[in-house]
Amino acid sequence: MKRGLVVGRYWSTRKVDSLPQGALLEVEFPDGSRLIAVDPLGCNEGESVLVAEGSVASHFFGEPFVVVDAVIVGSLDDKSA
Amino acid sequence: MKRGLVVGRYWSTRKVDSLPQGALLEVEFPDGSRLIAVDPLGCNEGESVLVAEGSVASHFFGEPFVVVDAVIVGSLDDKSA
Amino acid sequence: MKRGLVVGRYWSTRKVDSLPQGALLEVEFPDGSRLIAVDPLGCNEGESVLVAEGSVASHFFGEPFVVVDAVIVGSLDDKSA
Amino acid sequence: MKRGLVVGRYWSTRKVDSLPQGALLEVEFPDGSRLIAVDPLGCNEGESVLVAEGSVASHFFGEPFVVVDAVIVGSLDDKSA
Amino acid sequence: MKRGLVVGRYWSTRKVDSLPQGALLEVEFPDGSRLIAVDPLGCNEGESVLVAEGSVASHFFGEPFVVVDAVIVGSLDDKSA
């Protein structure tokens, strides 16, 4: 998985049916690269999250098939906690 | 998924049968890298889109199998909308 | 697989159910890039490990499905051993 | 898929059985990176091609299984055509 | 597939059961990046090889499942041969 920060939020009204509805979060990683991930947890901008990529991201949603290759799987605990 | 801009259009007359017919869109990402993606939505150059990669892109088309590893899954809404 | 060094440890209390519980290790590779991997071996910081990525990392855990795309599969022997 | 130029040709006599026989083409992409791909189309050096990567490249060949992660799926039409 | 040079050899005594036993070869690619691959061919350091990545590398070994994402699938013939 990759560790990154939620930096933005996108919507797609004109989309294929198998892309889930709702906000898509943009996550920035420490190397400056970014991904757009589906967020089943309700994360906020500035939150530190874990992103899983590839076919497991689609498998996570089970049936019916969703065309997703990146999903937020956890919010990271504060290190000082 | 990756967020990028449609920057061009390619055709392939001499191709394997399991590559879908029609235009293939070139998408450029913020880091300057590019992919060629199948476009089930009818996007235009300059449009901001979301690309899903890997085996889910092929799975999206169902049966019969297509040899595709990148597909446009949504057109991003205007942020100011 | 990729060879890297365990450099940190993360916890995620707010997570999806299919992400395994327990510590997640951060591994740094020689090129400076990092991944967060599930650790079935009980590795320590500073340990040199091997990370497998992609759908095989999820497959490794068998059923029920886990949403994991990186797993530590071995601790590397000391070269001088 | 990635768009690139065929820049070379390799043979492998000592290989695993599930790697198909015949020439393997080296394709260079605009960013300078290269891949070795199986070529079911009979492409030539200097030809502009489309490469699909990952498990779909193996799936393309059907049964029996081939251990292939990159395949040329199309030759790109001349833009001026 | 990627073309690279065998540059080292690693062993992992403390490993998960589904990682095959034996030496693991480190392969360096022309861009300087490296992978650790399982070697079913018995290659030597300095040998020019072809590496397949992803779930096909695991599939190559058949059943029972092995947690492998990179395998050497061929030794490249000398260009002058």
Side-chain angles (χ1 to χ4, degrees):
Chain A
M1 285 74 68
K2 283 187 194 156
R3 175 174 59 83
L5 229 56
V6 179
V7 294
R9 196 171 290 263
Y10 286 88
W11 281 264
S12 173
T13 304
R14 193 157 69 92
K15 64 172 193 66
V16 300
D17 287 343
S18 49
L19 182 71
Q21 284 187 313
L24 297 156
L25 298 196
E26 188 163 37
V27 179
E28 184 172 293
F29 303 104
D31 66 358
S33 65
R34 294 180 171 204
L35 280 180
I36 306 287
V38 176
D39 171 26
L41 292 170
C43 294
N44 295 308
E45 289 187 38
E47 201 166 337
S48 187
V49 297
L50 217 53
V51 177
E53 290 177 83
S55 60
V56 300
S58 171
H59 194 163
F60 166 76
F61 289 95
E63 296 292 336
F65 169 77
V66 296
V67 64
V68 161
D69 67 4
V71 62
I72 294 178
V73 296
S75 172
L76 291 173
D77 294 357
D78 190 331
K79 280 278 194 179
S80 63
Chain B
M1 284 74 68
K2 283 187 193 156
R3 176 174 59 82
L5 229 56
V6 178
V7 294
R9 195 171 291 265
Y10 285 88
W11 281 264
S12 173
T13 305
R14 192 157 69 91
K15 66 172 193 64
V16 300
D17 287 344
S18 49
L19 182 71
Q21 284 186 314
L24 297 156
L25 297 197
E26 189 163 37
V27 180
E28 184 172 292
F29 303 103
D31 66 358
S33 65
R34 293 180 173 204
L35 280 180
I36 307 287
V38 176
D39 170 26
L41 292 170
C43 294
N44 296 308
E45 290 187 39
E47 202 166 337
S48 187
V49 297
L50 217 53
V51 177
E53 289 178 82
S55 61
V56 300
S58 171
H59 194 163
F60 166 76
F61 289 95
E63 296 293 337
F65 169 76
V66 296
V67 64
V68 161
D69 66 4
V71 62
I72 294 178
V73 296
S75 173
L76 291 173
D77 295 358
D78 190 332
K79 280 278 195 179
S80 64
Chain C
M1 285 74 68
K2 283 188 193 155
R3 173 175 61 83
L5 230 56
V6 179
V7 295
R9 196 170 290 264
Y10 285 88
W11 281 264
S12 172
T13 304
R14 192 157 69 91
K15 64 173 193 66
V16 300
D17 287 343
S18 50
L19 181 70
Q21 284 186 313
L24 297 156
L25 298 197
E26 189 164 35
V27 179
E28 184 173 292
F29 303 104
D31 66 358
S33 66
R34 293 179 172 205
L35 281 180
I36 307 287
V38 175
D39 171 26
L41 292 171
C43 294
N44 295 309
E45 289 187 38
E47 203 166 336
S48 187
V49 296
L50 217 53
V51 176
E53 289 177 83
S55 61
V56 299
S58 171
H59 194 164
F60 167 76
F61 289 96
E63 296 293 336
F65 169 76
V66 296
V67 64
V68 161
D69 67 4
V71 61
I72 295 178
V73 295
S75 172
L76 291 173
D77 296 356
D78 190 331
K79 280 277 194 180
S80 63
Chain D
M1 284 75 67
K2 282 187 193 155
R3 174 175 60 83
L5 229 57
V6 178
V7 294
R9 195 171 290 265
Y10 285 88
W11 281 265
S12 173
T13 305
R14 191 157 70 91
K15 65 174 192 65
V16 300
D17 288 343
S18 50
L19 181 71
Q21 284 186 313
L24 297 157
L25 298 197
E26 189 163 35
V27 179
E28 184 172 292
F29 303 104
D31 66 358
S33 65
R34 294 180 171 203
L35 280 181
I36 307 287
V38 176
D39 170 26
L41 291 171
C43 295
N44 295 308
E45 289 187 38
E47 202 165 336
S48 187
V49 296
L50 217 53
V51 177
E53 288 178 83
S55 60
V56 300
S58 172
H59 194 163
F60 166 76
F61 289 96
E63 296 292 336
F65 169 76
V66 296
V67 64
V68 161
D69 66 5
V71 61
I72 294 177
V73 296
S75 172
L76 292 173
D77 295 356
D78 190 331
K79 279 277 195 179
S80 64
Chain E
M1 284 75 67
K2 283 187 193 155
R3 174 174 60 83
L5 229 57
V6 179
V7 295
R9 196 171 288 265
Y10 285 88
W11 280 265
S12 173
T13 303
R14 192 156 70 92
K15 64 174 193 66
V16 301
D17 287 343
S18 50
L19 181 71
Q21 284 186 315
L24 296 157
L25 297 197
E26 189 163 36
V27 180
E28 184 173 291
F29 303 104
D31 66 359
S33 67
R34 294 180 172 203
L35 280 180
I36 306 287
V38 175
D39 171 27
L41 291 171
C43 294
N44 295 308
E45 289 187 37
E47 203 165 337
S48 187
V49 296
L50 217 53
V51 177
E53 289 177 83
S55 61
V56 299
S58 172
H59 195 165
F60 167 75
F61 289 96
E63 297 293 334
F65 170 76
V66 296
V67 64
V68 161
D69 66 5
V71 61
I72 295 177
V73 295
S75 172
L76 292 173
D77 295 357
D78 190 331
K79 279 277 194 181
S80 63

